[in-house]
Amino acid sequence: MRKKAILITGAAGEIGHALIEALAKTGDIPLLTLDLDPLPEDIRELTTHWEADILDQKLLDRLVSEYEFEVIYHLAALLSTRGEFSPGAAHQVNVNGTMQLLRLAAEQSEWRRKPVQFIFPSSIAVYGLPDLETKTQYARVREWEWNYPRTMYGANKLYCELLGVYFSEHYRQLAAEQSTMVDFRAVRFPGLISAFTVPSGGTSDYGPEMLHAAAKGEPYGCFVRPDVRIPFMAMPDAVKSLLALAAAPTEAIGQRVYNVTSFSLSAEEFKQWVLKFFPAAQIDFTPDVKRQTIVDSWAAEMDDSAARRDWGWQPDYDVQRAFEEYLVPNIKKRYQD
Ligand code: SER
């Protein structure tokens, strides 16, 4: 008998940390987590963790034979800045890794004659606006607009969304018997900010880096211009959106890829919010032209009306609540200990 489980890849990353805590609270189905790294101590008890590589086919074969997955949260990825330094590795992990997991989900859906749900965090990096004028003019992008990513990571995410749709709607379309398809659902996240972890390898990292540096009393040189604007979201809302999308009834899902967002800030406005709570913070702007160009190509805001309409998406944290009630108190506690 295969054991029922929820699979989380990339579990030791930022989203994984918060998602494991949230899923463990519901406690319905045991969690199986994968990552190259061990899990942080505070969440180790909540899951069965395998330190393993999602590109290891033998490992995936073993998973299929031992487990029946109800839901797969496929979080493993190399982010946008890191991907530019190692495009081959990014493609391996982001595309080949996703393909492996989708095939695993397809195999299990077929075998149990019931779709495996595949929840995929996509990204604002799938957008690529050509210049700042266009970025101002088309501030609130909708899902199908400006899908011209300029990073390896963005291209990988966009392609994997298409692969997910393919595995949900067209896989084995020429086979004699109809297949049971995967149930792929994706959210495109803005820059995420966690009180408990600092991101690594992303290009929206200047936001959380600025805040964590201020809390630690360290000076920070922001690598984008003060005027650059992108949307952000507090980590509890990111987890909320993944869980809400997974819980949405099939009939409600009018599309497989949804924007979700919370608040948009320029880097200067971000700094002002940080200064409000850490008035002594030393924050300068020392833009890195190349990373700046990536952020310039991302939308200033995302239109998440489809998610609001179809599955009742609504963030709990606007900018004020995010700083006042989630980020600042938890970050202060973290660095005081
Ligand atoms: N936070 C990601 C990055 O900066 C975007 O999804 O790469």
Side-chain angles (χ1 to χ4, degrees), residues 77-156:
L78 295 193
L79 297 184
S80 57
T81 291
R82 177 122 180 251
E84 293 313 293
F85 288 110
S86 317
H91 192 276
Q92 278 284 339
V93 173
N94 297 349
V95 176
N96 298 355
T98 303
M99 179 68 182
Q100 301 256 56
L101 267 301
L102 280 167
R103 285 178 60 180
L104 181 154
E107 198 181 315
Q108 289 224 322
S109 303
E110 190 71 9
W111 159 77
R112 62 185 210 139
R113 303 241 159 263
K114 202 168 132 203
V116 172
Q117 205 176 51
F118 197 101
I119 305 294
F120 185 67
S122 187
S123 163
I124 189 171
V126 303
Y127 297 108
L129 292 114
D131 47 50
L132 289 178
E133 202 188 331
T134 316
K135 177 165 170 153
T136 310
Q137 202 178 342
Y138 294 91
R140 273 170 67 82
V141 288
R142 290 170 294 180
E143 283 83 351
W144 62 91
E145 295 174 318
W146 301 105
N147 289 170
Y148 310 114
R150 57 179 304 149
T151 58
M152 181 50 123
Y153 171 73
N156 294 164

Side-chain angles (χ1 to χ4, degrees), residues 39 54 140 148 243 312:
L39 290 180
I54 53 162
R140 273 170 67 82
Y148 310 114
L243 297 178

Side-chain angles (χ1 to χ4, degrees), residues 11-85:
E14 279 213 289
I15 303 175
H17 193 274
L19 181 66
I20 290 167
E21 279 181 334
L23 283 171
K25 270 186 208 140
T26 67
D28 301 344
I29 304 178
L31 307 181
L32 178 73
T33 51
L34 295 184
D35 204 291
L36 288 173
D37 293 322
L39 290 180
E41 217 164 306
D42 57 327
I43 52 170
R44 257 179 227 164
E45 296 288 291
L46 306 177
T47 167
T48 304
H49 184 62
W50 290 12
E51 267 172 57
D53 187 347
I54 53 162
L55 295 168
D56 178 349
Q57 186 56 53
K58 281 209 187 99
L59 165 92
L60 297 185
D61 291 344
R62 214 182 120 196
L63 282 182
V64 172
S65 64
E66 287 187 25
Y67 288 94
E68 177 185 342
F69 297 118
E70 284 290 327
V71 188
I72 297 175
Y73 291 89
H74 176 42
L75 313 179
L78 295 193
L79 297 184
S80 57
T81 291
R82 177 122 180 251
E84 293 313 293
F85 288 110

